[in-house]
Amino acid sequence: MRRVAEIAADHADPVDKEGRFPAETIAALKRERLLGVAIPIEHGGEGLGTMQIADLIVQLGQACGSSAMIYAMHQIKTSSFVTHGGASDWHSAYMRRIADEQLVMASATTEAGIGGNLRNSICAVEVAGGRFALTKEATVISYGNYADAILATARRAPDAASSDQVMVVIPADGNRTLERTSVWDTLGMRGTCSDGFHLVATGEVTQIFPKPFSEIAAQSMLASSHIFWAATWFGIAADAFNRAQAFVKAAARKQPDAMPPGALRLAEAAALLQEMKGHLTAAIHRFEAAAGDDDALSSIGFAAEINALKVAASEKAGAVVRLAMLVNGILGYKNGTPFSVGRHLRDVTSAPVMISNDRILSNSATLMLMSRFDTGLGG
């Protein structure tokens, strides 16, 4: 990942300024064969675990937030194949394609009329004669025009409840059309190119995951989303901290007998960054310990813990970057200096709003009414 991160860092500013897809980073990921690392060895991948993948995302996050987020979202969708695709011949074969051809996976879960409430859909798959048809008004499909396949959620049938969902794989080389309906002109994460699209697709019913989406979400997608997003934000915050630390060290060399003004704020940022790291690694260990145990992964306690990671990581990342801005002063506020953190600040502001923290806290509040907080330390 080191070589990829160097390329991502070289292009991070123009990707941000131009709001363009980080094509150089994705090409480097393909050259280094890092897109199929989560795919099991028997399907041609590396079989890497959650901790190893999260560490790759952190490394990329220190170079370019948009690139890291794209890589994280790709790995989130890949996790659905790894956890739930093995029982299906079609999905097993597609896993091998992801590894062999280094395919990029994207997601279409948001929808006009429901926003980011991914556990509900308005659109539905219509099945007849072994084939499906789907039309979706997706308000956001990150890097949709650049993905090799889109994993879309929809109601199981036109007469199904909004929460009775399936997930279907829609390859770019299949029968699909994407008509852009909105443009991603945003404060940060500009390189993710998360435009809105009118998506129309048809295909074989075998492209639909056998498991209901409710189980996919609870047993793999919820945890992998919050873990890999948190890894992205940690990487961004870590790079901002590194720039602030370099600034303080430079000031200390100029006046070796005096404490630099930003040193105390740097120590505060270090404490927050360590909290982020501890929370993230604890969540990964918890997730890996529950792997293969569907009851544990679907439990109220696990959902509450993983929700807490998302909220805490998104808030602490912003706090670390803001402290770095204060430490670096005008050189952090200005673009184009070794201590600039403006891009970091804008990218990390996406963290509390991508699946709103208020929505997640509301869900967690409901969970807390049905469970007790675990005060044990696991000793």
Side-chain angles (χ1 to χ4, degrees):
M1 181 60 81
R2 179 182 57 81
R3 289 188 292 269
V4 177
E6 289 174 354
I7 291 170
D10 287 342
H11 295 89
D13 285 335
V15 163
D16 173 59
K17 289 177 182 177
E18 300 166 23
R20 67 169 178 83
F21 183 69
E24 300 87 354
T25 304
I26 303 306
L29 286 168
K30 291 186 176 186
R31 284 196 303 272
E32 298 293 330
R33 301 195 64 77
L34 288 168
L35 292 174
V37 291
I39 301 297
I41 294 173
E42 61 267 27
H43 292 103
E46 303 294 328
L48 296 191
T50 304
M51 184 69 78
Q52 294 165 299
I53 294 170
D55 190 56
L56 293 174
I57 294 168
V58 169
Q59 293 178 53
L60 193 52
Q62 293 178 73
C64 172
S66 289
S67 295
M69 182 55 72
I70 291 169
Y71 189 58
M73 289 191 283
H74 163 80
Q75 295 296 349
I76 291 164
K77 304 322 296 178
T78 301
S79 74
S80 296
F81 281 97
V82 173
T83 307
H84 305 287
S88 159
D89 290 342
W90 193 93
H91 295 90
S92 293
Y94 205 81
M95 269 195 280
R96 183 167 291 279
R97 281 195 64 189
I98 294 173
D100 290 348
E101 303 173 36
Q102 293 294 290
L103 303 181
V104 177
M105 301 294 103
S107 171
T109 54
T110 59
E111 188 175 357
I114 60 169
N117 186 1
L118 62 85
R119 296 295 291 270
N120 284 274
S121 293
I122 296 173
C123 67
V125 291
E126 300 184 26
V127 175
R131 294 185 62 80
F132 78 88
L134 171 66
T135 299
K136 182 162 188 161
E137 300 297 336
T139 52
V140 170
I141 302 180
S142 295
Y143 54 97
N145 271 330
Y146 306 93
D148 296 299
I150 295 170
L151 278 65
T153 52
R155 286 183 295 137
R156 179 180 51 81
D159 58 351
S162 62
S163 59
D164 183 5
Q165 298 165 285
V166 295
M167 187 161 68
V168 56
V169 183
I170 303 172
D173 57 5
N175 296 315
R176 84 166 199 206
T177 60
L178 278 177
E179 179 185 348
R180 190 166 69 173
T181 56
S182 64
V183 176
W184 184 250
D185 184 7
T186 53
L187 182 67
M189 288 295 180
R190 293 171 53 78
T192 62
C193 299
S194 303
D195 300 330
F197 291 94
H198 174 74
L199 169 64
V200 179
T202 60
E204 302 293 330
V205 294
T206 49
Q207 295 169 224
I208 301 173
F209 275 88
K211 274 198 172 185
F213 180 67
S214 59
E215 296 182 28
I216 294 174
Q219 295 165 14
S220 69
M221 188 172 166
L222 174 71
S224 60
S225 294
H226 292 342
I227 287 170
F228 294 154
W229 287 342
T232 301
W233 303 325
F234 178 75
I236 296 169
D239 189 58
F241 173 83
N242 290 338
R243 294 180 182 217
Q245 187 177 41
F247 182 88
V248 171
K249 285 182 176 181
R253 285 192 293 270
K254 292 177 182 177
Q255 293 182 303
D257 298 327
M259 176 74 73
L264 293 180
R265 290 193 183 275
L266 183 68
E268 184 181 355
L272 287 172
L273 200 61
Q274 187 61 48
E275 287 179 14
M276 281 187 72
K277 183 177 180 179
H279 200 165
L280 175 57
T281 55
I284 293 172
H285 288 313
R286 175 79 168 83
F287 182 43
E288 290 184 332
D293 186 342
D294 291 351
D295 290 338
L297 292 170
S298 301
S299 69
I300 291 174
F302 179 77
E305 286 184 40
I306 211 70
N307 282 350
L309 169 68
K310 191 276 175 183
V311 174
S314 64
E315 293 178 349
K316 285 186 173 67
V320 170
V321 178
R322 288 191 294 273
L323 284 168
M325 177 78 76
L326 292 175
V327 170
N328 295 358
I330 192 65
L331 291 180
Y333 189 70
K334 288 177 64 177
N335 294 322
T337 82
F339 310 109
S340 300
V341 292
R343 171 169 52 81
H344 302 69
L345 183 61
R346 288 184 293 100
D347 281 349
V348 86
T349 55
S350 71
V353 298
M354 56 178 294
I355 302 187
S356 165
N357 279 1
D358 285 349
R359 183 193 296 275
I360 291 178
L361 287 170
S362 178
N363 292 339
S364 294
T366 301
L367 296 175
M368 290 296 98
L369 296 175
M370 298 182 288
S371 68
R372 297 180 63 181
F373 184 82
D374 182 6
T375 58
L377 299 180

